[in-house]
Amino acid sequence: MLQFAIRRLAMLIPVFLAVSLVIFMIIHLVPGDPLEHLIQVGSSPEQRARMIARYGLDQPLLVQYGRWLAKLVTGDLGDAIVMRQPVARLIAENMPHSLALGGAALIFSTTVGIVTGVLAASFRDSLFDRAVMGFILLGSTLPSFWLALLMILMFAVQFEWFPVSGARSWDALVLPALTIGIGGTALIARVTRAAMIEIAGRDFVRVLQAKGLPFWRIQLRHVLQQAMLPVMTILGLRIGWILGGAVTVEYVFARPGLGSLLITALGQRDYPLVQGCLLMLAIAVMLGTLLGDLAQAALDPRLREAMGAR
Amino acid sequence: MKTMMTRSLLAMGFASLGLAGLGLAGLAATTAQAQEATFVMTARLVGAPTYNPTKATKLNTATTLIFDRLVVQDADQSFHGQLASSWEASPDGMQWTFKLKPGVKFHNGEPFNARTIEWWVPQFKGTENAFTVEAIERVEVVDDLTVRFHMKRPDPNLLFNLATSFMCIPEPKSYTALGDSFGVTDAIGTGPYKMQQFSVGQQTVLVRNDDYAWASDLSANRGPAKFKKLTFREIAEESTAYLELKTGGADMLVNVPTDFLPRIQADKAVKLVTLPGNELVYMPINTSVEPFTDVKLREATAFAVNQKEILTSLYGGNGAAADTFLIASLKESQVEPKYKISYDPERSRKLFDAAGWKAGPDGIRVKDGKRLEVKLWTQNGTEFKRLVEIVQAQLKAVGMQADISIIDAGSINAQYRKKTEHQLAIRAYQWTNADIVDWFFAAKRAGYPNVSMFNDPEAERLNDIAMNKSKSWDERVANFTRYHEYVLSQYAFAPIYQPAQSLAYGKRIVLPQEIRGTGLYGPTMLDIAPAN
């Protein structure tokens, strides 16, 4: 298992390098630059030229990338140009908020998704099955921006159960977490349902039924365990997706977090900060995928063998 | 493994239930209590990265509560002492002497005096705000409470510069000790509030400075502020900001998004106050590309824009139609009537005809087989999108087809720098000084910010006189008026609209009868009180 984990981790290095290059190039190729936000009324074109030189923006892109990467290797994400603070500090201040939001959303979508998937599979083709799956599908197709405003109007304005925005109290986490979580619920529910139905048709389940084990015991203790394999992969992928999905939601709910930071940085074309934020999101996706794979390998020895590990 | 999975599932279930429980526990919570108030800054004020006034290029409303300035400016453009009790300029404009108020202390107990000013002015060197003090040769400490600026050249704009937020005065020792962290981790001034907490793009929490006793005469209250604690939240999403006010999560929207004005006007739980605006919406015309190299075409285009229709249909009558390039409160906006640009479709049509552009079968004008089709740019945002559509329709009415491009706000200036790709654009600026004419029409800034690509020898001559040769404030006003009139006569733009500044507030706070200053700044904030 350790060998498998090391091998998977090593595979991330070239991926990381490729991702860092793409991130760097994309933001630098977009029109505009951070100096728009630093130039004052009354500044001269010469002052702009001096600032371009000061931030090294007059260098070829590959040189700028090389410098950034060299710093990155030492763990230095550089300083934000417009915000004038170390990128690492800004990310460290905002990351806990995103992790709390992403964690809550993941917990919600996993719990509700698995429970719903199990129930839908257990009552396959019933009215309940169709209604629940249809409802969740509807929720997952709504744009998160629209869903966020709907949540605010319903639960914050109409019922006054939760604050409209911010992150000053724990209850402010509920609506944004639900907004993000609903999207993942449908996916997890559908995967759980499909896997449960597929496994329920296998021979060992028939044997268990013949032995007279109660229906729910078979479903929860035997079928569900097997069905968790594809769900684990989905969950791994969801970690990165949720952090990425938090961008819009954090903006609408005016919450601090990596998403809000990224939007501000993008608007200001604050290159080092955009690069830092995107890199964190990319790392989250990579680590999420890795965790999903490791969890799957832990549950299924055949996978480890297939990868040549013991 | 089975047990672990069951445990995980149970944990997830409980956590999920816990989330809902926390929500219910928060039902009774209120965001603002007596002696505390929450203000919301919307999109335009969001994202100020630091409260270091010397180095910042973007500051927000909270800045003038943490720091004081030597002087403050009222809406009528008059200047009033804040940390200065009086001032005097020598007749040749080469010396300015300021008397400072006694007994002023910074938040950390350090005294404010003439030595502070002597230290402060050189701090601007090499910063983006260096232009504010570039006319000052040196600072002389006459005595503890008297300071004299010896000038390189007369600068009648000195008081205006001193009254801007960028010339708020920081405490020297902490400024030096904190370096780049000044204004971020801490910010120490002499203002009525101390900075307690600041999260960039999120919120600033201020607590009252109980020793405050040196307000300007723009405040009725000269002592400590009436709220113990103020929270300034930054909410970029305008719907969310409005709903915070509506539900009582916020006490005031410091700047009401234009789109929400009708809704706020109809909301009985919310009061709306409008102040004279310091912003102007206009349509620059690229003078360097066809067909607008012809001044007649520019004039015809400028007179085709119906400012009053835009004011009524888009802004519900809030604000004012613009007919020059400057906001109405500036004296330099008072140009001779013949230079003003306001809707005159007949004049427009005659000019098009005279320039040889005749109406084609579909109403679009044609000259030498070429249709009058132009590119009209604007940045993204609901207000700009609506505005550009109305202007497009108005131009069509006189025979010009304008093809709209909506460009990301972060990219559009880079596109303007390409210089020749745009022909018309819809833009806005916010500034309360006539030198904005230099910023947007000086030849050396062609592309951006001189989106009109205006490059005219006579304009350059008048610019130099206005910017560098004025000795007194009155002379500067006269010189800038002439420069402004000349730019108007060349139709490098069409003026459109002057938005009003709008504040909306709820029942928990009381505003003074009159809001003093050029907007909602420190002086008025001192007079805002809790409703008891």
Side-chain angles (χ1 to χ4, degrees):
Chain A
M1 182 66 197
L2 184 66
Q3 199 184 346
F4 173 77
I6 291 169
R7 192 169 295 185
R8 279 291 286 105
L9 210 57
M11 281 165 64
L12 291 185
I13 295 170
V15 177
F16 175 82
L17 283 173
V19 165
S20 72
L21 182 67
V22 169
I23 285 171
F24 186 91
M25 290 302 166
I26 283 179
I27 184 62
H28 280 78
L29 293 176
V30 173
D33 64 52
L35 302 188
E36 301 295 350
H37 299 270
L38 296 178
I39 296 286
Q40 264 286 23
V41 169
S43 299
S44 62
E46 293 76 35
Q47 193 165 4
R48 182 181 167 82
R50 277 201 300 275
M51 287 170 72
I52 286 174
R54 188 197 302 170
Y55 294 113
L57 301 175
D58 52 346
Q59 299 295 314
L61 270 187
L62 277 177
V63 174
Q64 292 185 49
Y65 172 67
R67 286 179 180 171
W68 178 60
L69 199 61
K71 275 186 168 180
L72 205 59
V73 172
T74 64
D76 182 3
L77 290 169
D79 290 337
I81 295 174
V82 181
M83 292 201 189
R84 298 173 199 203
Q85 292 183 57
V87 171
R89 188 208 285 169
L90 287 166
I91 288 176
E93 281 171 4
N94 283 275
M95 195 56 135
H97 293 286
S98 293
L99 289 177
L101 178 58
L106 194 67
I107 289 167
F108 172 80
S109 58
T110 308
T111 316
V112 178
I114 291 176
V115 169
T116 314
V118 169
L119 290 175
S122 303
F123 301 106
R124 188 182 172 187
D125 294 333
S126 67
L127 187 63
F128 169 82
D129 178 20
R130 286 175 195 161
V132 167
M133 296 312 286
F135 186 72
I136 286 177
L137 188 66
L138 179 73
S140 68
T141 51
L142 295 174
S144 56
F145 189 87
W146 191 84
L147 190 60
L149 287 175
L150 192 72
M151 287 275 180
I152 293 174
L153 283 172
M154 193 179 291
F155 298 112
V157 178
Q158 189 65 35
F159 298 133
E160 299 182 13
W161 289 353
F162 302 102
V164 170
S165 68
R168 280 178 291 177
S169 53
W170 276 99
D171 55 345
L173 188 65
V174 177
L175 296 183
L178 287 180
T179 307
I180 300 175
I182 282 173
T185 305
L187 187 64
I188 292 170
R190 284 166 63 196
V191 171
T192 307
R193 180 183 177 273
M196 293 276 294
I197 289 169
E198 193 266 322
I199 291 157
R202 290 188 189 166
D203 289 343
F204 83 94
V205 178
R206 289 201 198 94
V207 171
L208 293 171
Q209 283 168 339
K211 281 184 177 176
L213 256 67
F215 173 76
W216 284 110
R217 190 165 175 183
I218 296 172
Q219 288 289 86
L220 297 178
R221 296 200 60 177
H222 300 280
V223 178
L224 182 58
Q225 187 199 343
Q226 300 278 323
M228 280 299 98
L229 284 172
V231 175
M232 286 295 173
T233 309
I234 296 289
L235 281 178
L237 292 172
R238 291 291 304 168
I239 292 173
W241 192 92
I242 278 176
L243 285 179
V247 173
T248 315
V249 173
E250 283 176 359
Y251 174 76
V252 177
F253 285 98
R255 285 183 63 83
L258 209 55
S260 289
L261 191 65
L262 178 60
I263 287 187
T264 309
L266 277 171
Q268 297 176 335
R269 298 285 190 275
D270 199 330
Y271 297 143
L273 190 52
V274 172
Q275 289 158 202
C277 290
L278 288 176
L279 204 63
M280 286 302 125
L281 290 176
I283 289 172
V285 172
M286 287 191 282
L287 289 181
T289 314
L290 178 71
L291 283 175
D293 286 355
L294 291 179
Q296 210 174 12
L299 287 170
D300 189 352
R302 288 170 302 176
L303 192 73
R304 296 200 296 272
E305 281 163 19
M307 293 291 289
R310 289 189 175 84
Chain B
M1 185 54 85
K2 285 174 201 165
T3 321
M4 266 180 66
M5 196 178 302
T6 314
R7 267 191 217 146
S8 308
L9 285 172
L10 278 172
M12 287 176 186
F14 281 123
S16 197
L17 286 172
L19 274 178
L22 284 168
L24 294 173
L27 286 180
T30 51
T31 51
Q33 297 156 353
Q35 299 300 307
E36 289 187 17
T38 300
F39 295 76
V40 169
M41 300 186 285
T42 55
R44 276 191 189 163
L45 291 173
V46 164
T50 173
Y51 283 105
N52 181 337
T54 315
K55 292 183 179 172
T57 53
K58 181 173 186 176
L59 292 166
N60 63 35
T61 312
T63 314
T64 56
L65 291 170
I66 301 168
F67 303 97
D68 286 322
R69 295 156 275 178
L70 278 180
V71 295
V72 286
Q73 192 178 18
D74 202 356
D76 63 2
Q77 311 300 325
S78 61
F79 294 98
H80 302 251
Q82 191 171 48
L83 290 177
S85 53
S86 64
W87 58 88
E88 193 176 33
S90 63
D92 62 358
M94 294 302 283
Q95 286 184 356
W96 285 78
T97 306
F98 289 84
K99 290 275 182 194
L100 308 179
K101 286 183 183 169
V104 176
K105 283 197 183 325
F106 285 101
H107 299 154
N108 59 357
E110 288 292 318
F112 166 81
N113 53 35
R115 296 267 170 221
T116 312
I117 304 298
E118 186 190 31
W119 163 85
W120 170 60
V121 171
Q123 300 306 313
F124 285 89
K125 195 176 177 187
T127 70
E128 280 72 46
N129 297 320
F131 70 95
T132 55
V133 296
E134 67 185 7
I136 301 173
E137 172 76 46
R138 67 184 172 90
V139 180
E140 176 195 356
V141 174
V142 179
D143 62 44
D144 202 38
L145 293 176
T146 310
V147 68
R148 185 167 295 138
F149 294 167
H150 294 269
M151 311 297 287
K152 293 176 197 164
R153 55 175 168 80
D155 182 7
N157 206 37
L158 183 69
L159 287 178
F160 174 83
N161 287 342
L162 290 172
T164 66
S165 300
F166 302 110
M167 295 206 80
C168 281
I169 301 173
E171 192 278 314
K173 284 183 182 166
S174 59
Y175 187 92
T176 309
L178 287 169
D180 277 349
S181 295
F182 186 88
V184 181
T185 56
D186 205 354
I188 294 172
T190 58
Y193 282 91
K194 303 174 186 181
M195 189 171 97
Q196 188 182 63
Q197 188 252 333
F198 171 45
S199 308
V200 177
Q202 291 297 320
Q203 66 172 21
T204 304
V205 181
L206 305 178
V207 290
R208 183 166 64 193
N209 174 7
D210 290 325
D211 299 329
Y212 196 73
W214 43 84
S216 73
D217 60 9
L218 296 189
S219 307
N221 167 29
R222 302 291 172 85
K226 295 177 179 174
F227 283 98
K228 279 185 181 167
K229 187 174 174 182
L230 298 181
T231 301
F232 282 84
R233 292 193 58 206
E234 302 182 34
I235 303 182
E237 170 46 37
E238 293 172 346
S239 309
T240 311
Y242 167 66
L243 291 173
E244 276 290 13
L245 180 70
K246 189 176 172 61
T247 56
D251 296 292
M252 179 187 273
L253 294 189
V254 174
N255 51 332
V256 178
T258 313
D259 285 350
F260 282 86
L261 279 173
R263 219 164 301 176
I264 284 174
Q265 278 168 324
D267 191 336
K268 285 179 183 161
V270 175
K271 289 178 186 166
L272 182 72
V273 175
T274 53
L275 310 169
N278 50 23
E279 192 177 354
L280 193 120
V281 181
Y282 68 108
M283 180 174 76
I285 301 171
N286 189 342
T287 59
S288 70
V289 293
E290 295 293 343
F292 298 118
T293 46
D294 181 351
V295 68
K296 276 199 182 68
L297 255 286
R298 301 203 296 265
E299 185 178 349
T301 307
F303 280 96
V305 177
N306 188 342
Q307 294 93 344
K308 281 185 183 148
E309 182 187 64
I310 290 170
L311 175 69
T312 313
S313 63
L314 194 57
Y315 299 105
N318 282 294
D323 53 13
T324 76
F325 192 68
L326 296 174
I327 56 170
S329 57
L330 292 176
K331 282 188 177 168
E332 296 90 335
S333 71
Q334 292 162 19
V335 296
E336 278 190 46
K338 66 176 180 180
Y339 293 113
K340 292 188 174 179
I341 301 170
S342 53
Y343 183 53
D344 188 343
E346 272 317 298
R347 181 169 170 172
S348 176
R349 287 193 184 95
K350 278 181 189 163
L351 283 160
F352 277 125
D353 289 340
W357 290 90
K358 307 288 182 192
D362 59 353
I364 301 300
R365 291 174 185 273
V366 180
K367 183 182 178 183
D368 303 330
K370 199 174 176 189
R371 282 161 59 83
L372 188 55
E373 289 177 15
V374 299
K375 285 175 272 186
L376 172 61
W377 287 15
T378 199
Q379 65 183 63
N380 51 6
T382 323
E383 186 185 339
F384 281 107
K385 278 182 193 166
R386 289 189 196 164
L387 192 51
V388 82
E389 282 163 7
I390 295 178
V391 170
Q392 182 189 44
Q394 291 177 350
L395 293 176
K396 194 166 188 185
V398 293
M400 180 184 287
Q401 183 179 316
D403 298 323
I404 294 172
S405 295
I406 310 272
I407 300 169
D408 167 49
S411 310
I412 197 163
N413 293 347
Q415 300 297 326
Y416 286 133
R417 282 203 176 84
K418 292 180 179 170
K419 297 184 177 181
T420 54
E421 293 190 5
H422 64 283
Q423 286 163 296
L424 300 173
I426 301 290
R427 294 183 37 80
Y429 77 77
Q430 198 170 13
W431 196 240
T432 54
N433 191 296
D435 59 10
I436 199 74
V437 186
D438 158 71
W439 179 241
F440 284 114
F441 297 102
K444 65 181 177 183
R445 299 195 181 94
Y448 184 83
N450 180 357
V451 173
S452 300
M453 295 287 297
F454 192 54
N455 186 356
D456 182 290
E458 177 63 6
E460 292 298 294
R461 190 183 70 81
L462 293 170
N463 173 306
D464 182 48
I465 293 169
M467 289 291 287
N468 305 315
K469 307 280 165 59
S470 308
K471 288 189 180 59
S472 67
W473 181 259
D474 288 343
E475 197 181 329
R476 185 179 190 270
V477 168
N479 289 337
F480 261 106
T481 306
R482 265 199 299 280
Y483 175 36
H484 181 207
E485 283 176 339
Y486 184 75
V487 175
L488 281 161
S489 75
Q490 296 304 303
Y491 305 100
F493 70 97
I496 299 178
Y497 168 63
Q498 280 191 81
Q501 296 182 73
S502 303
L503 318 168
Y505 62 101
K507 291 174 180 167
R508 291 194 300 260
I509 61 172
V510 178
L511 251 63
Q513 287 275 318
E514 187 186 1
I515 292 178
R516 302 289 300 271
T518 53
L520 183 73
Y521 295 114
T524 297
M525 296 294 280
L526 270 175
D527 289 336
I528 295 179
N532 289 318

